[in-house]
């Protein structure tokens, strides 16, 4: 298969209070508003090369509208659309995506919207924020710990392995790793990538009956120290830290999770490895090996199992999963030392 996709370009999310979310992104995260169209607000990180990377749209609850990937060429866009439709999914061609133009949008087998495009509008910074460095789209943000760019999105799906297999087979995502519970053959997490990163698409187990949900999306900061400064600044400004800072075993990125006003989860990350192996064989992790927490010295909080929009049924850790498996998922280090 030719290389179809190059990288994640933007995410569009909904918020019940768009202005509250936008104010948070501007003042606490360090994003910049670049446009407002039909009630949607377009924002960018200081290091994003394209016009925007986050779109906030009015909605009754926090949710993912679509996740967008830039293809590797105009020809790859047409080929990707053909492959999606050959897999039995009918998408649609769009000509009016702001500052992108022609794009192909489809809904995957587990209910997630994906937008594919080649054309982009590259960011041209106004003079007062133009960087002295030619390769930077604009000056570094003045907000402490502001991310350089969008990094990845992690969705929730009822069958983790089937989700990963479909996007691998149809669009060429490389499957990089998966997590299976210590005490049952249940896949709870997988990561995929279109490039050398450990992942730009993640998938967590969703036991609800609501399709197309998202667990979080993530920004990238350049250094570990910047991530710690962001954590410090958020806490000083009354924004609770949900999980971290720590390091994931899978990917080896330093991470930090918090929520925006709509309650949608945001991750900051940095570090991690780069993998250029074209025929990489994904390893299987278990929680007790530190898939979530590299140091294996702390449990993931229960709140991290929440995805968006809110489930219309029990969450993945509650629906038909025995108590001992809940313990293994939420307190994986308890299984160490068992025979």
């Amino acid at each position: 298969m030719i290389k179809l996709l190059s990288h994640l370009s933007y995410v569009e999310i909904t918020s019940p209070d768009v202005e509250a979310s936008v104010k948070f992104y501007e003042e606490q995260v360090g994003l910049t508003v670049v446009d407002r169209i039909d009630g949607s607000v377009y924002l960018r990180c200081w290091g994003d090369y394209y016009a925007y990377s986050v779109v906030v749209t009015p909605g009754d609850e926090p949710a993912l509208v679509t996740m967008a990937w830039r293809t590797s060429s105009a020809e790859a866009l047409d080929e990707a659309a053909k492959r999606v439709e050959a897999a039995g999914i009918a998408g649609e061609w769009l000509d009016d995506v702001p500052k992108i133009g022609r794009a192909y949008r489809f809904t995957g087998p587990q209910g997630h919207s994906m937008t594919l495009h080649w054309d982009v509008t590259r960011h041209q910074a106004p003079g007062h924020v133009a960087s002295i460095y030619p390769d930077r789209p604009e000056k570094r943000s003045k907000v402490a710990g502001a991310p350089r760019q969008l990094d990845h999105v992690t969705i929730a799906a009822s069958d983790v392995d089937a989700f990963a297999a479909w996007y691998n087979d149809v669009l060429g995502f490389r499957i990089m790793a998966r997590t299976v519970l210590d005490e049952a053959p249940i896949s709870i997490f997988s990561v995929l990538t279109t490039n050398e990163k450990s992942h730009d698409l993640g998938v967590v187990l969703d036991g609800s009956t609501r399709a197309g949900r998202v667990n979080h999306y993530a920004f990238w900061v350049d250094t570990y120290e910047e991530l710690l400064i962001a954590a410090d600044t958020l806490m000083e400004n009354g924004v609770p830290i949900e999980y971290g800072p720590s390091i994931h075993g899978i990917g080896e990125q330093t991470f930090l999770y918090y929520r925006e006003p709509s309650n949608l989860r945001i991750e900051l990350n940095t570090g991690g490895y780069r993998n250029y192996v074209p025929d990489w064989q994904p390893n299987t992790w278990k929680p007790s090996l530190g898939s979530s927490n590299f140091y294996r010295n702390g449990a993931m909080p229960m709140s991290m199992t929440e995805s968006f929009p809110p489930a219309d049924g029990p969450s993945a850790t509650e629906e038909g999963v025995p108590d001992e498996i809940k313990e293994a998922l939420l307190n994986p280090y308890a299984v160490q030392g068992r025979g």
Side-chain angles (χ1 to χ4, degrees), residues 115-190:
T115 302
L116 308 179
H117 64 97
W118 166 245
D119 294 331
V120 293
T121 298
R122 288 172 170 78
H123 181 64
Q124 297 291 325
H128 68 288
V129 291
S131 175
I132 62 172
Y133 304 108
D135 289 340
R136 285 189 180 176
E138 67 179 47
K139 291 179 181 177
R140 184 179 290 270
S141 171
K142 294 181 180 179
V143 175
R148 177 184 282 263
Q149 60 199 27
L150 181 67
D151 188 72
H152 70 263
V153 59
T154 294
I155 61 84
S158 60
D159 188 327
V160 169
D161 291 340
F163 180 96
W166 193 90
Y167 284 86
N168 171 255
D169 292 342
V170 176
L171 291 174
F173 280 88
R174 288 192 297 155
I175 303 173
M176 304 305 291
R178 65 197 283 260
T179 300
V180 174
L181 287 178
D182 287 84
E183 300 188 16
I186 301 173
S187 294
I188 59 170
F189 182 60
S190 186

Side-chain angles (χ1 to χ4, degrees), residues 160-179 189-195 197-201 203 250 273 275 277-284:
V160 169
D161 291 340
F163 180 96
W166 193 90
Y167 284 86
N168 171 255
D169 292 342
V170 176
L171 291 174
F173 280 88
R174 288 192 297 155
I175 303 173
M176 304 305 291
R178 65 197 283 260
T179 300
F189 182 60
S190 186
V191 287
L192 304 92
T193 190
T194 58
N195 48 59
K197 295 191 304 184
S198 70
H199 68 291
D200 50 13
L201 176 60
V203 51
I250 290 180
Y273 59 76
N275 184 315
V277 181
D279 55 352
W280 174 254
Q281 297 298 310
N283 291 305
T284 295

Side-chain angles (χ1 to χ4, degrees), residues 199-229:
H199 68 291
D200 50 13
L201 176 60
V203 51
V204 299
L205 181 64
D206 188 354
S208 79
T209 58
R210 193 164 190 176
R213 299 206 297 158
V214 63
N215 184 267
H216 68 270
Y217 76 94
F219 295 112
W220 174 266
V221 293
D222 286 350
T223 67
Y224 175 69
E225 290 75 17
E226 284 183 276
L227 187 141
L228 296 183
I229 289 170

Side-chain angles (χ1 to χ4, degrees), residues 26-160:
E26 289 184 295
E27 297 180 359
Q28 304 298 336
V29 183
L31 305 192
T32 302
V33 172
V34 294
D35 214 341
R36 292 173 178 267
I37 303 172
D38 297 331
S40 295
V41 182
Y42 294 72
L43 302 103
R44 55 173 282 101
C45 305
W46 65 268
D48 285 325
Y49 293 106
Y50 308 147
Y52 56 86
S53 60
V54 177
V55 184
V56 185
T57 295
D60 294 335
E61 51 194 356
L64 178 70
V65 177
T66 195
M67 47 184 172
W69 265 262
R70 193 180 185 202
T71 60
S72 60
S73 66
E75 294 76 16
L77 173 59
D78 290 330
E79 177 64 21
K82 290 177 183 177
R83 290 179 180 269
V84 169
E85 296 190 353
I89 290 180
E92 61 176 334
W93 286 100
L94 306 173
D95 294 316
D96 57 353
V97 180
K99 302 195 176 184
I100 286 175
R102 184 173 182 258
Y104 182 77
R105 183 170 294 175
F106 68 94
T107 299
Q110 298 197 45
H112 301 88
S113 170
M114 181 175 282
T115 302
L116 308 179
H117 64 97
W118 166 245
D119 294 331
V120 293
T121 298
R122 288 172 170 78
H123 181 64
Q124 297 291 325
H128 68 288
V129 291
S131 175
I132 62 172
Y133 304 108
D135 289 340
R136 285 189 180 176
E138 67 179 47
K139 291 179 181 177
R140 184 179 290 270
S141 171
K142 294 181 180 179
V143 175
R148 177 184 282 263
Q149 60 199 27
L150 181 67
D151 188 72
H152 70 263
V153 59
T154 294
I155 61 84
S158 60
D159 188 327
V160 169

Side-chain angles (χ1 to χ4, degrees), residues 208-262:
S208 79
T209 58
R210 193 164 190 176
R213 299 206 297 158
V214 63
N215 184 267
H216 68 270
Y217 76 94
F219 295 112
W220 174 266
V221 293
D222 286 350
T223 67
Y224 175 69
E225 290 75 17
E226 284 183 276
L227 187 141
L228 296 183
I229 289 170
D232 190 339
T233 303
L234 289 166
M235 291 288 288
E236 290 275 28
N237 290 336
V239 181
I241 303 303
E242 184 176 16
Y243 187 27
S246 189
I247 299 176
H248 291 311
I250 290 180
E252 300 184 25
Q253 298 103 334
T254 301
F255 67 84
L256 167 73
Y257 295 93
Y258 59 96
R259 306 285 186 103
E260 64 120 283
S262 75

